[in-house]
Amino acid sequence: MDLAVGLQRHGMHLEIVTPRHGSGWSKQFTCREMAVHRPLQLFRTGWAARADRSVSRYIRDLTRWLIENGGGADVMLCDRAREESIAVVDACRKLGIPSVVRLGGHGASSDLTFLRDDRMGARCRNSTLTADAVLVNDASSHREWLASGASPSNVHRMTPCLVPPESTATQRASIRRSLGRVNRDLFVPADTTVLLSVERMNRDSGLQQLVESALRLASDTPSLQFWLIGDGPKRDSIYNRLRGDGLSQATAMPGSFGSMDD
């Protein structure tokens, strides 16, 4: 997700494809203005060697979906060299667009270990070797992948992080105005004191001590406002404590916005 957000910040239009892990999950939603597609469901108990629960059926169905829905793409990037990489490389070949596969993970959970030791890994390895480009994270992964028979011309070493593009003063001013309009409910007069917390709302974050001191702080500082931004298992108890102390009107808890309902 970090890679997708980074690419989007550089002006690229992205659509993300990922599996569903429950029948109640939606097949499509929007995250940070990017369309997220979940056309196929995986099973919690793992692959079963029968009917539509087999890994071969999953790869075949994903390939078909990518071909039917990916005709407008300029390139397809598979974030791991696992079963999905077979579908991506095959679909790109039939659509006539470039395919990119990133070798990720570390140690025993790395793609290189999977490609070397797993039975399905051999099939994924053969498919990844035919991709138009392969991305590796470090020098050791680069050497190991070349030693496995990869062509040096289509292997590229890069980190998964992207530097945000430079913004102009005009763009920053426009962003501030937009954020100001979005967050009008957090407006306070210039002479108001705001206590801002972005700590995780759990037992060990230290936020509980702040909440227990909130009434005394509010008594000592006129017009004090508490902005508690974040989420966690103690969220409800924190809100109930502040409300019980009569501070609900002085408290804003917008949350982490991890849920689309927020």
Side-chain angles (χ1 to χ4, degrees):
M1 196 64 195
D2 291 338
L3 178 60
V5 172
L7 292 172
Q8 184 194 44
R9 288 176 176 172
H10 282 71
M12 300 182 185
H13 172 78
L14 283 93
E15 295 193 20
I16 302 170
V17 181
T18 184
R20 301 195 318 276
H21 294 277
S23 58
W25 290 24
S26 61
K27 292 186 176 182
Q28 183 175 352
F29 65 96
T30 301
C31 179
R32 297 191 178 183
E33 300 179 351
M34 293 181 289
V36 180
H37 306 277
R38 298 190 292 203
L40 303 175
Q41 181 180 345
L42 295 184
F43 295 85
R44 295 181 179 179
T45 56
W47 301 114
R50 68 177 187 272
D52 61 344
R53 297 184 64 173
S54 68
V55 62
S56 297
R57 177 64 180 270
Y58 170 67
I59 295 172
R60 188 164 57 249
D61 288 348
L62 180 58
T63 303
R64 183 184 304 112
W65 189 94
L66 291 173
I67 293 173
E68 293 174 353
N69 297 273
D74 296 315
V75 63
M76 289 188 188
L77 166 64
C78 187
D79 194 43
R80 297 292 298 271
R82 301 298 173 113
E83 290 84 357
E84 291 80 4
S85 64
I86 300 175
V88 168
V89 172
D90 190 18
C92 287
R93 185 182 300 113
K94 293 176 180 177
L95 291 171
I97 61 177
S99 58
V100 181
V101 178
R102 174 175 169 260
L103 299 180
H106 301 279
S109 299
S110 70
D111 286 342
L112 287 170
T113 301
F114 169 76
L115 298 177
R116 183 179 61 247
D117 299 339
D118 192 274
R119 183 170 60 180
M120 174 54 66
R123 184 179 172 188
C124 295
R125 172 185 172 276
N126 293 335
S127 178
T128 302
L129 285 171
T130 64
D132 294 289
V134 176
L135 306 181
V136 294
N137 293 337
D138 49 51
S140 61
S141 298
H142 197 165
R143 288 192 298 268
E144 184 172 348
W145 182 240
L146 290 177
S148 68
S151 171
S153 61
N154 71 340
V155 184
H156 308 274
R157 191 189 311 171
M158 62 168 286
T159 58
C161 61
L162 294 171
V163 178
E166 292 290 335
S167 58
T168 65
T170 301
Q171 289 173 328
R172 290 193 294 271
S174 177
I175 291 172
R176 292 189 184 100
R177 287 194 297 269
S178 298
L179 289 173
R181 288 193 294 269
V182 169
N183 295 296
R184 286 186 184 276
D185 58 326
L186 297 179
F187 171 81
V188 293
D191 58 349
T192 299
T193 302
V194 176
L195 193 157
L196 172 65
S197 170
V198 293
E199 289 290 338
R200 175 83 174 157
M201 295 183 182
N202 56 27
R203 180 179 300 175
D204 303 323
S205 66
L207 186 57
Q208 194 67 39
Q209 287 83 351
L210 171 62
V211 172
E212 292 172 357
S213 305
L215 183 59
R216 179 174 56 82
L217 291 172
S219 301
D220 295 340
T221 307
S223 303
L224 178 63
Q225 296 287 313
F226 297 90
W227 292 3
L228 309 181
I229 300 175
D231 208 344
K234 293 294 184 178
R235 180 182 177 87
D236 290 341
S237 63
I238 288 173
Y239 176 76
N240 291 334
R241 172 62 185 269
L242 293 171
R243 184 177 61 179
D245 289 341
L247 298 174
S248 58
Q249 296 299 317
T251 303
M253 298 176 64
S256 64
F257 300 99
S259 169
M260 299 306 294
D261 292 335
D262 290 340

